Amino acid sequence: MGSDLGGPFDRPPGGPGGPGGWWILDEPELHLGPDVVVPDLAGWRRERVPRLPNAAFFDVAPDWACEVVSPATAAADRVRKMRIYARESVGHLWLVEPLARTLEVYRLENGRWIVAGTYGGSERVRAEPFEAIELELLRWWLEP
């Protein structure tokens, strides 16, 4: 999943190979207010964060976060982390459930999460904030 986004987006904007304009990192440690969280993926728009800090953790909230939800992490991902991300004004959140083969896309509006789309199975989707490319969800699921 990260490579599907990182390739076209994790680069300066306007260059060859994709729309660019993002920093996309696997499992960055985020210190957000009094909380420490580690999303599975997170992205910062380069227009807002021109350079990644040279630090062991980030204290700037990402513009997008992605959690891969499992039975062991569902409560933390869907309750604790969603509240923290909303409080810190993370603009977009994806919840990916490999066992259910679903992608839930959320957009933050007025401090509340709005479902921007729900997808699953073998769909090909353009999910915000990465609508510039089509994602093939079937690539994300484990074989049965």
Side-chain angles (χ1 to χ4, degrees):
M1 171 179 20
S3 63
D4 287 351
L5 297 173
F9 287 98
D10 191 12
R11 63 182 71 237
W22 288 80
W23 299 106
I24 297 179
L25 300 176
D26 293 329
E27 299 184 340
E29 183 175 317
L30 307 177
H31 292 213
L32 303 175
D35 298 295
V36 176
V37 293
V38 180
D40 292 296
L41 290 166
W44 292 260
R45 293 180 190 273
R46 288 181 186 225
E47 63 194 25
R48 191 169 69 86
V49 179
R51 285 188 206 94
L52 288 178
N54 185 14
F57 62 86
F58 296 84
D59 58 7
V60 174
D63 296 293
W64 165 80
C66 177
E67 297 292 349
V68 178
V69 180
S70 71
T73 66
D77 292 340
R78 291 185 172 282
V79 179
R80 179 178 176 266
K81 286 184 173 182
M82 283 185 83
R83 287 180 184 160
I84 294 167
Y85 296 148
R87 180 192 75 211
E88 298 298 321
S89 299
V90 174
H92 295 87
L93 174 65
W94 289 7
L95 297 179
V96 176
E97 289 203 41
L99 295 177
R101 295 181 175 212
T102 60
L103 165 63
E104 298 170 29
V105 177
Y106 295 90
R107 176 185 335 113
L108 192 66
E109 290 185 8
N110 299 316
R112 301 191 63 169
W113 291 115
I114 305 299
V115 177
T118 55
Y119 311 98
S122 61
E123 286 186 82
R124 299 176 71 89
V125 303
R126 291 183 181 271
E128 59 181 74
F130 302 109
E131 307 97 317
I133 64 166
E134 186 175 72
L135 299 169
E136 184 179 353
L137 295 186
L138 193 58
R139 292 172 32 95
W140 297 0
W141 318 134
L142 298 174
E143 292 299 319

